[in-house]
Amino acid sequence: MSFTKQKIPVFPLKNSVIFPVLAFPVNVKREADANAIEAAKSSNQMHIAVFTQKDPDVENPGAEDLHEIGTLATILKVRKMPGDKLSVIIKGESRIRLLDIESNGQYLEGVIEPIDNNYEETEENLEKISKCKELALKNIDLSPHISQEISFHVRFSENPSDLADIIALHMEISYDIKQEILAIVDPMERIDKVISLLEQELHVLELSNKIQSSVKGEMDKAQREYFLREQMKAIQRELGEVDDRQDELDELKKKIRNAKMPDEVEKVALKELKRLSKMNPSAAESTVARTYIDWLVDIPWNKSTKDILDIQRAGETLDRDHFGLEKVKKRILEFLAVRKLKNDMKGPILCLVGPPGVGKTSLAKSVASAMGRELVRMSLGGVRDEAEIRGHRRTYIGSMPGKVIKGLKKAGANNPVFVLDEIDKLGADYRGDPSSALLEVLDPEQNDTFMDHYLDVTFDLSKVLFIATANLVSPIPAPLRDRMEMIEISGYTMEEKLQIAFNYIIPEQMEEHGITDAHVEFEAEGIRFLIESYTREAGVRSLKREVAALCRYVAKEVASENLKAKAVMNPALVEEARGPIRFFNDVAERTSVNGVATGLAWTASGGDILFIEATKMRGKGQMKLSGSLGDVMKESVGVASSYIRASSAELGIDDRVFDSLDIHIHVPSGAIPKDGPSAGVTMLTAIVSLLTGLPVDAKLAMTGEATLRGAVLPVGGIKEKVLAAHRAGIKRVILPEKNRKDLPDIPEEIQADMEINFCSRMENVLDIALGADALKEKREALSALLETEKADEEQ
């Protein structure tokens, strides 16, 4: 179409661009635009100038609001729509440039001029046109948004201007870029721009199709599996068979609902069940998910045993199962009494501390029996891995919950009596510190939200009654010790051991070995002899083994039909059955000479006695030590030596002996390490006995720490030490004055059978151990000797 400058109606477009190709439907909403359409229709050529607005929000555009380059269009059809609106079909004819514009009051009129579309048909331009067509056809094939009919126009279009306009018209690009293409006057420059856009679009479409193909492949696989499963279900229904997989999932869901989990835990379980339902049953991950759900279902989230809060009955149960241990029984009954008055009390953390064989673990069993609770026992001896307490995370192969959750599952209740055995023997290495993991378990303020690494959800441990056992307090880490209530269990006296033997051990062992009262009779003297000569312990574990050996001896005689009459277990028969005596009460023999004193020591297995031996020889005043002594005992020897040299005159010792004699101190059982301050008083007494020639009372034992000034300081383990002295046949003991507070812990029968002396100064100890009169005679003799020597020197 050829024309010169002319003045025609202008139609502004908001969000679209009209190219000079093909026909387009346009909705007319503004009154001025409708007037422009009507004016164009009234003309012979039905032409209208279409220009795109720079800002679509401008309602009454002027010359500055319209792009300079637009399209001359022919109105093909006008149709009225509801609401006095028009729908117009127009066809672009050619590019035009807007020279001027004005409003006549009804619509816009513009002065326009045509734009030439000429180009040179060079070989280079023809190659560009061919490349543009090729890229356009590829894009049409890959794009889901472009109709395949457009490929016809692209394929048979020879004019580069029309080709570029058709492609730009149908590409998924913004109207700003389309206007930019419309404004390019040179057809070949327009082709270059379109080629650049096509290459970008083709790259995006190829990547998108690649992703879609991959996704479609996965979807096709999933749809195929779904179809096959549905088909299999239909076949099973026809055959009357059951869908085990679905039934299993339904059963798991039912178990989750019935487990009465906390809401947040139930959400986790249902979410995991949903994941499980989508997994292939043969996949390894399916087994992991199923095991996890089984653990969540089996844990007693809301299952509790009802406490028996009958205080009298509980007391009778404890008395029936254990002899003595009054302090522990009292504490348990106090707990039950508080529980009866306040049902929501958090469980205390008790720690029973005492030597082996005193009944710590069996006492915990009795507590569970008295309260009607389930019992869980966890041995902590040698545990070094933190995961043993808190479990392994599910990211590890073969991961499982920790021993705490396992114990609760085994108990089937969330309020068992949980025994933590040997808590003082926990270890720690590169795998973690189990004692630190136990801090959360044993802290009543935070164990209501205990989190196991495997479960990854919180569990309330506040209803559990934790009872820990330990031989020693010192190895337990201080933060862990701070969270527990320590209850010390000392060893048993001879009378208590006799009661335990006749009331508990002997009936139990006779039943286990198949012998009755018709076969054997145990005499008190025989059992006393057995305890004194074949056992040396604070508890009764060795006694139990020895009684079992006696029962085996009788059982052999019965089974061999050699037993003609009832066997009477008196001392003679006990020695015949058990062989040579193992332990001798030779205290009197070993302390009958001067320079030997009997001390009292505390060990992990209870109290014990030890002998301090001192001897002298010609030398240069050196002090020799032997007996595998620790640093503290070596320092006690030094303190004793300094005190004696400083107080030699008061002790009746000539201080010149320190320059001419060597003193050797030995503590027998040299292979056994020994340490502690408790032997300070005993060492000092032994050295004074050696230098004064006064023997220590053979039936006397002592304990305490001595200072350079002669003060006697208090020590621990008084009850265990006094019991050990009583077992060894000691009749008199010397204790520090400040340990008088420990006197109520010592059984009354022991106090009645022994003389207990309390001393605050070493002078008092020596007066009791060596005799005040004898020491006085030594002082007087030394004084007389020194005066005689002085008189001889003066003459």
Side-chain angles (χ1 to χ4, degrees), residues 302-317:
N302 203 26
K303 297 178 182 176
S304 303
T305 53
K306 187 175 182 181
D307 285 344
I308 300 174
L309 300 176
D310 187 336
I311 308 301
Q312 184 175 352
R313 178 182 177 278
E316 292 172 355
T317 302

Side-chain angles (χ1 to χ4, degrees), residues 203-266:
H203 177 72
V204 173
L205 287 171
E206 286 177 343
L207 182 61
S208 176
N209 275 272
K210 182 178 179 181
I211 295 171
Q212 286 183 355
S213 298
S214 175
V215 172
K216 187 174 183 299
E218 293 295 327
M219 289 179 62
D220 289 345
K221 181 182 177 183
Q223 288 174 348
R224 179 174 174 273
E225 290 180 356
Y226 174 77
F227 174 75
L228 290 174
R229 288 196 190 98
E230 291 299 317
Q231 204 171 32
M232 185 171 63
K233 289 179 183 178
I235 294 171
Q236 287 176 335
R237 283 194 296 268
E238 290 296 326
L239 295 175
E241 296 179 356
V242 181
D243 184 359
D244 293 336
R245 169 74 170 170
Q246 189 57 44
D247 283 358
E248 181 183 2
L249 294 173
D250 292 342
E251 184 65 24
L252 271 179
K253 189 172 185 178
K254 185 179 178 182
K255 286 182 178 179
I256 292 172
R257 297 295 188 190
N258 294 337
K260 297 181 180 179
M261 308 174 183
D263 292 340
E264 61 274 12
V265 179
E266 187 172 300

Side-chain angles (χ1 to χ4, degrees), residues 609-762:
I609 63 170
L610 53 83
F611 299 100
I612 307 294
E613 299 179 350
T615 188
K616 59 186 178 181
M617 63 210 80
R618 192 178 300 276
K620 299 179 180 180
Q622 295 181 353
M623 189 77 69
K624 296 182 180 180
L625 307 174
S626 60
S628 188
L629 305 182
D631 292 339
V632 177
M633 292 190 78
K634 290 177 182 178
E635 291 173 359
S636 296
V637 173
V639 170
S641 175
S642 298
Y643 172 78
I644 293 171
R645 296 184 70 167
S647 309
S648 58
E650 291 81 357
L651 298 174
I653 300 172
D654 189 347
D655 58 3
R656 289 172 293 184
V657 302
F658 296 111
D659 298 327
S660 59
L661 295 176
D662 288 345
I663 298 177
H664 185 175
I665 296 177
H666 177 67
V667 182
S669 299
I672 302 174
K674 295 171 281 291
D675 200 10
S678 301
V681 167
T682 314
M683 286 182 171
L684 196 152
T685 303
I687 298 173
V688 173
S689 171
L690 173 70
L691 296 178
T692 58
L694 300 174
V696 180
D697 182 3
K699 293 294 184 179
L700 174 71
M702 62 193 76
T703 185
E705 179 181 1
T707 70
L708 285 172
R709 300 294 182 181
V712 179
L713 302 182
V715 292
I718 294 299
K719 180 181 179 182
E720 290 82 357
K721 293 174 180 178
V722 173
L723 292 179
H726 188 261
R727 285 196 298 271
I730 300 293
K731 295 299 182 182
R732 301 169 66 205
V733 292
I734 297 176
L735 304 176
E737 176 64 38
K738 291 185 178 179
N739 281 118
R740 189 182 291 273
K741 61 182 176 58
D742 298 310
L743 191 61
D745 294 336
I746 301 173
E748 293 182 0
E749 62 270 20
I750 301 294
Q751 295 186 43
D753 196 39
M754 299 179 71
E755 176 189 331
I756 301 177
N757 302 279
F758 293 95
C759 299
S760 59
R761 300 285 307 170
M762 274 308 305

Side-chain angles (χ1 to χ4, degrees), residues 1-5 20 69-72 93-99 112-120 159-162 165 181-190:
M1 180 180 293
S2 63
F3 61 90
T4 57
K5 292 180 184 179
I69 305 300
T71 303
L72 180 67
E93 299 292 350
S94 63
R95 277 175 175 77
I96 55 175
R97 178 176 282 107
L98 182 63
L99 301 177
I112 62 171
E113 70 174 0
I115 295 175
D116 188 12
N117 280 329
N118 294 332
Y119 73 99
E120 295 182 15
N159 188 321
S161 179
D162 292 344
D165 289 346
I181 295 171
L182 180 66
I184 299 174
V185 175
D186 185 357
M188 296 315 301
E189 288 183 15
R190 211 180 310 144

Side-chain angles (χ1 to χ4, degrees), residues 470-495:
N471 295 133
L472 299 171
V473 175
S474 54
I476 303 175
L480 193 57
R481 191 164 62 240
D482 181 61
R483 284 162 168 79
M484 297 186 290
E485 178 182 344
M486 298 293 169
I487 300 178
E488 294 188 4
I489 303 178
S490 305
Y492 298 106
T493 65
M494 172 62 76
E495 294 305 317

